[in-house]
Amino acid sequence: MKRYLCLLFAASAPVLPGADAIVPTYRIETVAGSSNMGDGGPASAAQIGSIQGIAVDRMGNLYLSDTDHNRVRKVSTAGTITTVAGTGDAGFGGDGGAATAAQLNLPYGLAVDLLGNLYIADLGNNRVRRVGADGVIITLAGTGVKGSGGDGGPAASAQLLTPRNVVVDAYGNVFISEFEGHRVRKVSPDGKISTAAGTGSAGFRGDGGAPTSAQLNYPAGLAMDRTGNLYIADSQNNRIRKVVPGGAISTVSGATGGMTTPHSVAVDGPGTIYVADGISTVVYCYTTAGKQIQFAGGSTKDFQGDGGAAAKADLTNVLDLAADLAGNVWLADGQRVRMVDTAGIIRTVAGDGYRQALGDKGSATDAILYHPAAVTLDGAGNLFIGDTGTGRVRQVVPAQTIATLAVGLASPMGVAVDPQGNVVVADAGSHRILKTGPGGFVTVIAGTGEAGTGAEYLLPTATELRGPSGVCYDRAGTLFIVDTSNHRVLRAAPSALTEIAAGNGSPGDSGDGGQARAAEIDAPSACTVDSFGNLFIADTMNHQIREVTPGGTIATVAGTGDAGGTGDEGPATQARLNTPKGIAVNDSGDIYIADTGNHRIRQITADGVIHTVAGGASAGFKGDGGEAAAALLASPGGLFLDGAGTLYFADTDNNRVRRLVPDQAAAPAAPVTPAAPPAAPVVSPGLPAVNAASLATGPIAPGETIILYGKGIGPDNGVAAAYDSTGMLPTLLGASEVHFDGTSAPLLYAQSGEVHAIAPYALAGQKTTHVDILYQEKTVASADLAVASSAPGLYPVAVNADGSPNSAANPAVAGSLLTLYATGEGLTDGANVTGQAAQAPYPHPTLPVTLTIGGTAAVIAGAFSTPGVAGMLQVNASVPAPSPKGAVAVSLSVGGVVSQAITVSVK
């Protein structure tokens, strides 16, 4: 069903498609995570993100790029860690001032000259920055515009193309590897820039000739020996190349093979070359005689061996190397820096690998998160966070203290709460879906632990998954698994076998209008299910949001399929998204999207128009306490909506969980009240009551959704209900209650002028019922209403066979299936629990149901309680063929009682 249907049915209000949607504004605030990283304490106990660059000065102080946290940090010879550049928030700013107050964006390679100046390859800003011995930061090279121009002129006016690494020689010349520019640039002490090696075109040639006539292929790490020779990790040529000052370029390692994508290089005093190979778990050294020796690490990716021989230790992910004047070799090993001394013994000097408690038992906003990917809440208001970088699930209780719920996970990318209140996690790294127990994660509920493409119709625990990154549940307790690297979404009803809900396993973008299981999707990452049973999928690499109806039909609701950030205030299907990784839907039909690559949260309102509600054009962190529209985000991920309309999201690259709180002054308007007052009810004109679908007065039926009108019968600001974890609607809403013969009725909406309620099934067999409306525990209106076995009313909407709304511009085809919605059908063959969302097997009315379209009896394919909704009947019927063309009348009969007529379009 399309969005305006959701808006209509959520509060059972007569809202017609095409009405202008109200876009709420939001305040933004952080609820978990901080910039606390352990500064001022021992470096070995500090929290550090992915370390992309290291350098050691002549005094033995270590500098490291805490790339994920947009900082450069220093470890003194005494072992104390501090931040020397960057605020921790991605961006560009601060030149001419203290480096600690400046913004960096993905700092990579580092170098330190003999005078103590620190050089930073500020990759995300396409600049090289320099921090002087006085702590002041400036831009040495690059305008921030991605490019390779400016040779012969001032370096600060030149363009750089992804500056990845830097090195400085004894004369103060700074060399910069342009990773995507396939060149090495040189900035001389007078500030002029030139090309030192490479033509700018990727390839391999030129050994034995001028460096500027040679081709490089994604040059990465740089090193300088004591005689001024420059070494280049020519990563895609699988070589280390050497440039002699004023001389030729040559290959010094890798010419005969044995090297795979070298990305880091260092040279010690005697001239031994150290290389981190592409597999990142081994470091080789090459003697001056050209002999290759395994220096550190092996084939196993792990962290162990400290205190022993480096050649027998395990490494995690070596990203950079450095050699100091004393002959020690330093390794940027994932989230740690390790040092191999001259005796070959390895030890950790910085970073604890996120093994500490990270702020547990304290305030959530003082705690440390690392790349949180997903969030969810339970019915008690506990917030659960898939903290991917630390391999944990964290829990924030309503009192705002934080704890670790589970630890030791491979990569918790998705979290959800099941109908029993257990936290369920998509652990992408272990290819499993896990469920909490009293002591943490005790149960595997899906996946074998081995990556694979499992067949359908197996037990969930026997179904192979591949990198699942999302989970969600529908109101019936059915589990949906986003099987990301298998390009599909699986469905597993309670105690049932798995089956494909969407995706045929091949990456692509096809299938709209057809069956979802035969369609193509590409690396989906998140899902959610609305109260009508529609499944929404963040089709990440297609840059789209896809919707699967309960009947299995798939359609695109946002995104053109091309990456971009355009389209605001226009149709969502014509807008461009960029790798969306979060999705949430409310019962008013609004869709919220984590537009991850655009660093924004976007909303599709019920009219199908897309808007940006938080975030700007670039990554950053700002705005807490103010308007969300002015805030900056960094790669937002998982989303979750609570019952009050607050949107929680993982602000992944800011290492925080934040939320958008609706601005009450701009909250969505209450459902539209009919322009003309309804006619008086049958028995009591003092309390007007109408069928929520037809707006007709008359007897009410058991299970019917009705609207009661009055004054002062609810809160000034309308409150919409939410189903609880068991699928029940509340009987107290916004301090309003409705009693039928003394029994509280389920409510869908309450406001000072109207209350929407569901008549109890217990009215069956009665002729009348006494109704009381209570507000703030006081009776404010009463009436006696007539009761009938059925009182059908049709909602004035219809859905075509492809899931699109029926309209004059989008008519149904004669012979095709048409879906309509109604209320007032009376008793069903189910349990008849008033206010409970319908669950499979869906009940049918006990009274006979017929439908006429254009005066002809239609063949009814099904008439049953609408999945996931209370108080609503769904009727699927075939449009008679032949049938009148254009606008035709439709009416519904239940037990011989005929509804009002609505109009549908037929071609």
Side-chain angles (χ1 to χ4, degrees):
M1 287 181 289
K2 295 299 176 186
R3 305 283 57 76
Y4 70 83
L5 282 173
C6 295
L7 178 63
L8 176 65
F9 296 154
S12 300
V15 179
L16 297 178
D20 291 336
I22 295 179
V23 183
T25 58
Y26 295 88
R27 303 187 319 276
I28 189 168
E29 56 194 26
T30 293
V31 294
S34 70
S35 59
N36 300 331
M37 301 303 298
D39 276 356
S44 58
Q47 285 74 48
I48 307 171
S50 179
I51 303 169
Q52 296 286 354
I54 55 175
V56 183
D57 68 16
R58 61 189 181 89
M59 305 300 294
N61 298 296
L62 168 70
Y63 296 83
L64 62 94
S65 285
D66 192 352
T67 306
D68 288 336
H69 297 122
N70 300 294
R71 303 165 182 245
V72 174
R73 305 172 78 177
K74 175 183 176 181
V75 180
S76 70
T77 55
T80 300
I81 192 168
T82 55
T83 294
V84 294
T87 63
D89 302 324
F92 173 75
D95 272 1
T100 52
Q103 286 182 296
L104 306 175
N105 190 358
L106 300 179
Y108 259 61
L110 302 176
V112 185
D113 67 18
L114 296 176
L115 300 176
N117 297 301
L118 171 67
Y119 299 87
I120 305 167
D122 195 2
L123 183 142
N125 283 322
N126 287 295
R127 292 175 166 93
V128 171
R129 317 279 287 276
R130 182 179 71 195
V131 180
D134 58 359
V136 174
I137 192 170
I138 63 168
T139 292
L140 176 75
T143 63
V145 176
K146 200 172 182 179
S148 285
D151 272 3
S157 300
Q159 294 176 325
L160 300 179
L161 188 55
T162 55
R164 175 165 171 152
N165 287 80
V166 288
V167 71
V168 60
D169 68 14
Y171 303 100
N173 296 295
V174 179
F175 296 85
I176 307 162
S177 63
E178 284 189 328
F179 189 66
E180 293 178 333
H182 312 293
R183 296 196 294 181
V184 175
R185 310 283 288 279
K186 172 185 172 182
V187 180
S188 59
D190 62 1
K192 297 295 179 64
I193 193 168
S194 59
T195 294
T199 64
S201 176
F204 174 73
R205 74 174 186 198
D207 272 2
T212 52
S213 298
Q215 284 183 301
L216 305 175
N217 199 347
Y218 293 97
L222 301 176
M224 186 74 60
D225 68 17
R226 290 184 178 181
T227 60
N229 296 306
L230 173 68
Y231 295 81
I232 305 167
D234 195 0
S235 65
Q236 295 302 309
N237 282 325
N238 302 314
R239 298 166 183 252
I240 302 298
R241 300 177 80 179
K242 175 182 174 181
V243 177
V244 177
I249 188 171
S250 62
T251 294
V252 295
S253 300
T256 58
M259 193 173 287
T260 305
T261 321
H263 55 266
S264 302
V265 61
V267 183
D268 66 13
T272 301
I273 302 170
Y274 301 86
V275 179
D277 224 352
I279 58 174
S280 301
T281 60
V282 62
V283 174
Y284 295 105
C285 69
Y286 297 84
T287 68
T288 53
K291 183 180 180 180
Q292 176 181 294
I293 300 172
Q294 185 170 320
F295 176 74
S299 60
T300 302
K301 184 176 183 178
D302 200 357
F303 169 70
Q304 66 86 24
D306 271 5
K312 296 182 179 180
D314 285 334
L315 306 176
T316 303
N317 186 21
V318 178
L319 299 174
D320 199 19
L321 300 168
D324 66 19
L325 296 177
N328 303 303
V329 179
W330 305 69
L331 288 64
D333 188 18
Q335 298 162 1
R336 301 175 176 88
V337 177
R338 303 170 80 177
M339 186 189 76
V340 182
D341 63 21
T342 54
I345 304 301
I346 191 169
R347 64 183 178 90
T348 296
V349 295
D352 76 339
Y354 286 86
R355 295 191 177 190
Q356 302 293 323
L358 311 176
D360 279 357
K361 299 182 180 180
S363 169
T365 52
D366 289 331
I368 298 168
L369 304 178
Y370 183 41
H371 284 177
V375 294
T376 192
L377 280 84
D378 66 11
N382 295 295
L383 171 68
F384 300 95
I385 305 165
D387 197 17
T388 306
T390 68
R392 290 170 165 83
V393 172
R394 313 289 292 278
Q395 178 180 359
V396 180
V397 301
Q400 288 298 296
T401 57
I402 194 168
T404 292
L405 181 68
V407 69
L409 306 180
S411 186
M413 296 294 293
V415 289
V417 175
D418 71 11
Q420 290 73 44
N422 302 300
V423 178
V424 174
V425 180
D427 192 20
S430 72
H431 314 289
R432 298 182 301 179
I433 308 299
L434 307 172
K435 183 173 73 173
T436 59
F441 288 97
V442 297
T443 308
V444 176
I445 62 173
T448 65
E450 297 292 332
T453 306
E456 286 187 277
Y457 310 120
L458 298 174
L459 289 172
T461 52
T463 303
E464 289 182 335
L465 308 175
R466 192 183 300 273
S469 60
V471 283
C472 58
Y473 282 87
D474 67 10
R475 300 294 173 88
T478 298
L479 169 67
F480 292 86
I481 301 168
V482 182
D483 194 8
T484 302
S485 296
N486 282 324
H487 311 288
R488 63 184 185 177
V489 177
L490 301 177
R491 173 176 51 227
S495 302
L497 305 179
T498 58
E499 59 181 341
I500 293 174
N504 64 15
S506 297
D509 176 17
S510 67
D512 273 4
Q515 285 296 298
R517 58 181 290 114
E520 290 179 325
I521 55 181
D522 194 350
S525 60
C527 66
T528 192
V529 186
D530 69 12
S531 57
F532 304 99
N534 299 294
L535 171 69
F536 294 83
I537 303 167
D539 193 359
T540 303
M541 296 313 297
N542 278 327
H543 314 290
Q544 294 177 321
I545 303 299
R546 312 282 287 275
E547 178 185 9
V548 180
T549 67
T553 302
I554 192 169
T556 296
V557 296
T560 63
D562 297 320
T566 59
D568 273 357
E569 310 312 318
T573 52
Q574 297 177 23
R576 288 189 175 188
L577 310 177
N578 191 345
T579 57
K581 293 185 178 179
I583 182 76
V585 182
N586 66 19
D587 280 343
S588 295
D590 299 310
I591 303 173
Y592 294 83
I593 303 166
D595 195 0
T596 307
N598 286 319
H599 311 292
R600 293 188 286 180
I601 304 294
R602 301 174 82 175
Q603 177 191 17
I604 305 171
T605 44
D607 55 3
V609 174
I610 194 168
H611 321 266
T612 292
V613 294
S618 61
F621 176 78
K622 76 171 186 178
D624 270 6
E627 293 184 1
L632 289 180
L633 320 177
S635 302
L639 307 179
F640 188 85
L641 274 167
D642 71 6
T646 297
L647 181 71
Y648 291 75
F649 67 96
D651 197 359
T652 302
D653 284 352
N654 279 323
N655 299 304
R656 291 170 170 88
V657 171
R658 303 169 82 180
R659 66 184 174 194
L660 306 182
V661 182
D663 189 347
Q664 293 301 315
V672 178
T673 303
V682 173
V683 176
S684 173
L687 183 61
V690 301
N691 180 290
S694 67
L695 304 183
T697 59
I700 62 174
E704 178 185 347
T705 301
I706 65 172
I707 304 176
L708 301 163
Y709 295 102
K711 292 184 179 180
I713 60 176
D716 291 338
N717 294 318
V719 179
Y723 293 90
D724 67 15
S725 61
T726 67
M728 289 296 298
L729 289 167
T731 57
L732 177 65
L733 185 64
S736 293
E737 299 175 75
V738 177
H739 293 177
F740 287 79
D741 300 325
T743 299
S744 295
L747 305 182
L748 293 104
Y749 183 79
Q751 194 256 347
S752 60
E754 59 184 279
V755 174
H756 302 209
I758 297 179
Y761 283 110
L763 297 181
Q766 296 181 199
K767 298 296 184 183
T768 62
T769 181
H770 180 75
V771 180
D772 293 311
I773 300 181
L774 285 71
Y775 181 58
Q776 296 179 340
E777 300 183 347
K778 295 181 180 179
T779 301
V780 292
S782 299
D784 291 324
L785 302 178
V787 178
S789 298
S790 65
L794 278 169
Y795 288 98
V797 291
V799 178
N800 294 332
D802 63 358
S804 63
N806 180 274
S807 66
N810 188 34
V813 177
S816 67
L817 200 67
L818 196 66
T819 300
L820 301 112
Y821 300 90
T823 190
E825 70 273 19
L827 291 177
T828 73
D829 59 7
N832 291 315
V833 178
T834 309
Q836 184 171 53
Q839 301 178 6
Y842 302 111
H844 306 82
T846 58
L847 296 172
V849 178
T850 60
L851 188 79
T852 59
I853 300 178
T856 302
V859 176
I860 295 179
F864 48 86
S865 297
T866 304
V869 183
M872 186 180 296
L873 175 70
Q874 178 173 327
V875 181
N876 299 334
S878 296
V879 178
S883 179
K885 309 302 181 186
V888 298
V890 178
S891 61
L892 174 73
S893 171
V894 181
V897 180
V898 181
S899 73
Q900 94 286 10
I902 66 169
T903 299
V904 300
S905 295
V906 178
K907 67 178 179 180

